[in-house]
Amino acid sequence: MTAQPAVADGQEVLHELMMDLLVKGLIVLGAVVLLVLGAVVIWRRAGR
């Protein structure tokens, strides 16, 4: 039965890709939040 290990390997690869996508998405989300917070601080210090 050579099909079963191939399916298991495919599932492992899919799991790794999904976790990678999740981590990268969280990094991008964190960067956007920091960018917005920085813009708000600069906007308030500029007095506008």
Side-chain angles (χ1 to χ4, degrees), residues 1-46:
M1 304 246 175
T2 59
Q4 188 63 26
V7 171
D9 290 339
Q11 289 176 351
E12 290 175 15
V13 170
L14 182 61
H15 181 262
E16 289 295 321
L17 288 173
M18 293 302 291
M19 290 303 295
D20 185 57
L21 181 65
L22 177 64
V23 168
K24 288 179 180 177
L26 289 174
I27 290 170
V28 169
L29 182 63
V32 169
V33 168
L34 286 176
L35 182 66
V36 168
L37 286 175
V40 168
V41 168
I42 291 170
W43 189 262
R44 288 190 179 180
R45 289 195 187 252

